Amino acid sequence: MEQMNLDDEQWGFSDEARDELEADPLTASMSVAEAHKKRADREEWADYVMEDMGQLGDGTLNVRFRRWLIEADRSLQEDMLTLIDRDRRGMFVFFDSVIQLVDGRISQLWGPGPGGINLHTLGAFAQALGLYLLTASDEPTVVLAAERGARDLPSCRVVAEVLASQGVVTYLSPEGLGVDAVTELVGEKRVDLGVCLSEAENGMRGPVVVVDCEGEPLCQSACDCVNRALQEIDVFDDVRRFDLRKALREELVIPLGGVAKAENGQ
């Protein structure tokens, strides 16, 4: 994939934000041959890991776990190996459930598997959220931010790219903004929804919070619509993304820093 050029002052990205956004968090630039070899190597490695792990339950968990070993982002592999070594019970938490949006929050733990919040499940969530927005608004718009700032911009990028693939315009904050700040921006920008990747009290990643155009938690009936769509989405095969570089050019993703600079005449 062509490297993005985020140096233009119009975007308003800080040096730290550019560093986090430059590299695609889920894919690397490689040839088809390299990609095939990478998958073959992963399959061989996954078989070795699964043989060492042994059978869990009726085997369904094993099948799901093996697929994530092969398909998931490399950053999740260490978490998966930790589950095998130290927390077999945790495997059921992450691999025998799926994330759910309840009262405007995805409150599951960050971690691997369909039951954890991670780059893959965030992509599926964004696609389900976009499908809901397309039924609720003619020109859907969203404010998106992460309370921990640049550290979670790769996650924000995935969400923004998936929303862009559905024509949803996203105002993306490259700086850290909490739920209250996102709620204020929802009213200021007059968008349909605000999405915040929040920070827990211990400084770790917290729940994903969704607020409506009134600044209230997304109602449960709307959450149910998102959850129904989410159940039908394969996190590896069905999620579609629109390259962030193109999304910026076509104003499907609008950096809030860049907007602020333009409005201030800077």
Side-chain angles (χ1 to χ4, degrees):
M1 180 179 290
E2 181 184 346
Q3 282 288 86
M4 292 174 52
N5 178 14
L6 298 177
D7 291 331
D8 294 343
E9 291 186 1
Q10 62 176 311
W11 305 132
F13 288 131
S14 66
D15 291 342
E16 185 181 15
R18 283 199 301 271
D19 290 343
E20 292 296 336
L21 285 170
E22 281 288 354
D24 189 313
L26 285 176
T27 60
S29 178
M30 64 177 69
S31 68
V32 173
E34 288 173 330
H36 281 304
K37 183 179 186 302
K38 177 182 177 182
R39 182 176 180 86
D41 290 343
R42 277 208 174 188
E43 288 179 348
E44 182 178 352
W45 174 72
D47 288 338
Y48 172 81
V49 172
M50 298 305 296
E51 181 178 355
D52 183 64
M53 184 176 73
Q55 185 81 351
L56 293 172
D58 61 2
T60 303
L61 194 67
N62 292 65
V63 173
R64 192 172 295 147
F65 195 87
R66 181 182 185 275
R67 189 184 183 202
W68 275 75
L69 284 173
I70 296 170
E71 303 277 3
D73 173 64
R74 187 177 297 276
S75 65
L76 296 172
Q77 289 183 351
E78 184 175 342
D79 294 335
M80 296 174 71
L81 294 178
T82 298
L83 289 176
I84 294 174
D85 292 337
R86 305 178 188 173
D87 188 12
R88 292 293 182 99
R89 185 175 299 178
M91 293 180 64
F92 290 90
V93 173
F94 288 114
F95 287 90
D96 201 30
S97 62
V98 296
I99 62 169
Q100 292 283 303
L101 186 63
V102 179
D103 295 329
R105 300 166 72 91
I106 299 176
S107 298
Q108 280 86 357
L109 298 173
W110 285 76
I117 304 174
N118 54 65
L119 292 173
H120 302 288
T121 56
L122 279 175
F125 156 71
Q127 188 151 311
L129 188 67
L131 291 172
Y132 161 73
L133 282 167
L134 291 172
T135 67
S137 175
D138 293 332
E139 297 180 350
T141 51
V142 170
V143 165
L144 172 64
E147 192 167 2
R148 302 190 333 145
R151 289 176 292 175
D152 284 331
L153 275 179
S155 298
C156 286
R157 173 179 176 167
V158 169
V159 173
E161 287 184 332
V162 174
L163 290 173
S165 74
Q166 298 171 89
V168 178
V169 175
T170 299
Y171 290 93
L172 172 64
S173 172
E175 308 301 329
L177 296 178
V179 176
D180 290 343
V182 169
T183 300
E184 289 183 11
L185 281 169
V186 166
E188 178 185 324
K189 297 295 181 184
R190 298 182 180 179
V191 299
D192 296 294
L193 293 177
V195 179
C196 179
L197 310 186
S198 71
E199 183 177 20
E201 291 183 0
N202 60 2
M204 303 297 287
R205 291 163 165 168
V208 177
V209 180
V210 183
V211 297
D212 63 18
C213 60
E214 302 295 330
E216 298 295 327
L218 190 65
C219 68
Q220 191 54 46
S221 61
C223 291
D224 290 340
C225 291
V226 174
N227 290 333
R228 283 194 293 271
L230 189 56
Q231 290 178 357
E232 302 299 321
I233 297 172
D234 185 297
V235 300
F236 298 120
D237 293 338
D238 297 339
V239 177
R240 299 291 176 262
R241 295 165 60 198
F242 193 92
D243 180 65
L244 181 59
R245 181 183 62 256
K246 296 178 182 178
L248 287 165
R249 291 172 181 166
E250 297 184 19
E251 297 187 337
L252 286 167
V253 175
I254 303 174
L256 285 170
V259 171
K261 286 190 175 185
E263 290 175 347
N264 293 329
Q266 297 180 359

